[in-house]
Amino acid sequence: MKILVTGGAGFIGSHLCDLLISKGEEVVVIDDLSTGSLENIAHLNSHPRFEYHVDTILNTDLMDLLIAKCDCVVHLAAAVGVKYVLENPLSSIETNILGTETALKTANKYGKKIIVASTSEVYGKHMHAPLKEDDNLIYGPPSTMRWSYAASKLVDEFTALAYYRTKKLDTIIIRCFNTIGPRQTGLYGMVVPRFIQQALRDDPITVFGDGTQTRTFTYIDDVTTAIYKLLTCGKGAGEVVNIGGTEEITIADLAKKIKELANSNSEIVFIPYDKAYGKDFEDMMRRVPSVEKLQALTGYAPETSLDEILLKTIEYFRAKAY
Ligand code: UDP
């Protein structure tokens, strides 16, 4: 198969390219390097089954050309990361809504299967667990910019589902929960790379809020495996599917665990949300996925334990000499 990976120079995208190449597939990447980097795909550059284009997914002519020559699309290109979205609210909404509309419209024009990446953010402020794909969604007001990320991704989901219902477009929406591993940068707010780099430098580990908020973390290879299985299983058209680990941990305990696993002397400090993110910020206090649907469709669910995920990621940052 020839597969277009939008956002293929990003953290998840570049690992997906590695997996696809290892499976013998042909890979075409489009990435505007807004949060991705050429370094992530440098090792693939001379591969005969790999090509990349540095451009935006808003370039409709190029998207037309690339989708026409591929068999299917994995659409990962998006504004990602709470910090990034808060700092770039307008361009984030444009990329997420208009870019996805272009990807879906063009995939539909050529009748190509497309996986659309959404996010666990769309669940909003739930306190129950696990979160299932047909749960209600709960957001704060639009003055709290964080929710624009969820709302823009939700528009993507509605658009994809509308293409499925009205045009029978073969599309699957994936809601990725916090994904962790090598090549992820802490620059856009992601907690694990930030904590690990702070721990390895013996800098204070910065827990935002009181640290009682929880997350589950998924190893990058588990996420790319799940995406590949959804791409090839022949099932799931018109479905929304969670991809995530299920080991829940508070952010305060995560800080302690990373400090311990990295043998760090860091102090753990608590920073109020308004100091970390500015005014009008609201956190999601709990986020745990149900992976029943993923399991039912593919016979697979993420399996790497949290300790293993953290140790592998610490190893990566240590090797990078942070
Ligand atoms: N967080 C933190 N310290 C940091 C970065 C993030 O305590 O340096 C917290 C953040 O407030 C949130 C959790 O860690 O409660 C996960 O944040 P992240 O931005 O990684 O992802 P989110 O799940 O919020 O999209």
Side-chain angles (χ1 to χ4, degrees):
M1 270 194 304
K2 188 180 262 195
I3 300 152
L4 175 66
V5 181
T6 72
F11 162 54
I12 298 181
S14 64
H15 283 278
L16 180 64
C17 293
D18 289 342
L19 178 70
L20 295 174
I21 292 289
S22 78
K23 298 280 185 190
E25 313 288 8
E26 284 181 70
V27 178
V28 179
V29 162
I30 178 167
D31 198 304
D32 68 358
L33 306 181
S34 52
T35 56
S37 98
L38 287 180
E39 200 189 327
N40 288 343
I41 49 170
H43 58 291
L44 295 173
N45 278 349
S46 53
H47 198 287
R49 282 184 279 109
F50 182 81
E51 73 177 62
Y52 73 90
H53 302 262
V54 176
D55 212 321
T56 166
I57 53 169
L58 299 174
N59 181 344
T60 48
D61 291 342
L62 181 60
M63 285 289 277
D64 192 279
L65 212 88
L66 298 181
I67 292 178
K69 71 174 183 177
C70 288
D71 301 300
C72 54
V73 183
V74 181
H75 175 50
L76 300 172
V80 288
V82 172
K83 189 165 172 278
Y84 183 86
V85 171
L86 290 175
E87 285 167 4
N88 305 279
L90 188 57
S91 63
S92 297
I93 292 170
E94 278 171 0
T95 304
N96 289 358
I97 295 184
L98 302 179
T100 301
E101 162 62 15
T102 298
L104 283 164
K105 194 185 231 165
T106 317
N108 181 62
K109 176 176 170 189
Y110 293 108
K112 305 289 167 73
K113 175 170 178 155
I114 175 167
I115 291 187
V116 175
S118 183
T119 163
S120 55
E121 274 278 320
V122 298
Y123 285 104
K125 307 192 267 185
H126 277 289
M127 285 307 290
H128 79 275
L131 295 167
K132 298 186 96 159
E133 291 86 346
D134 54 2
D135 279 345
N136 290 325
L137 311 174
I138 310 176
Y139 302 145
S143 54
T144 304
M145 261 298 160
R146 181 199 185 117
W147 303 117
S148 71
Y149 181 30
S152 66
K153 282 295 188 178
L154 191 59
V155 170
D156 291 350
E157 295 196 9
F158 278 125
T159 312
L161 291 176
Y163 269 105
Y164 171 72
R165 294 214 180 141
T166 59
K167 316 273 188 191
K168 297 275 168 288
L169 177 66
D170 189 353
T171 181
I172 301 177
I173 295 146
I174 52 172
R175 287 185 183 158
C176 297
F177 284 63
N178 299 59
T179 304
I180 301 306
R183 299 183 202 150
Q184 187 177 38
T185 148
L187 288 176
Y188 313 112
M190 280 73 169
V191 66
V192 167
R194 286 170 64 90
F195 281 7
I196 290 178
Q197 286 171 75
Q198 289 165 342
L200 292 178
R201 294 180 183 131
D202 285 338
D203 285 345
I205 299 179
T206 55
V207 174
F208 298 158
D210 66 4
T212 57
Q213 70 273 34
T214 73
R215 293 293 186 272
T216 63
F217 295 95
T218 324
Y219 193 57
I220 180 64
D221 291 354
D222 291 345
V223 173
T224 55
T225 300
I227 294 174
Y228 190 60
K229 284 185 184 285
L230 285 169
L231 198 59
T232 52
C233 71
K235 289 186 264 179
E239 296 286 343
V240 177
V241 185
N242 287 339
I243 300 180
T246 51
E247 215 176 315
E248 185 177 16
I249 186 166
T250 67
I251 297 300
D253 285 347
L254 178 74
K256 279 190 229 153
K257 196 183 256 297
I258 288 177
K259 175 177 165 160
E260 200 180 292
L261 293 174
N263 286 319
S264 166
N265 295 314
S266 290
E267 183 193 353
I268 295 174
V269 296
F270 291 81
I271 297 178
Y273 283 123
D274 59 343
K275 292 243 159 53
Y277 295 108
K279 228 165 62 63
D280 290 333
F281 177 79
E282 193 173 11
D283 204 355
M284 291 178 69
M285 294 308 290
R286 192 172 190 204
R287 196 193 271 172
V288 182
S290 157
V291 285
E292 268 174 40
K293 198 193 262 191
L294 176 66
Q295 180 85 51
L297 287 171
T298 65
Y300 175 81
E303 49 204 20
T304 315
S305 72
L306 180 59
D307 275 17
E308 216 179 313
I309 294 173
L310 294 176
L311 281 169
K312 284 181 182 191
T313 313
I314 289 167
E315 214 35 64
Y316 164 78
F317 278 108
R318 203 170 254 141
K320 276 193 89 181
Y322 277 103

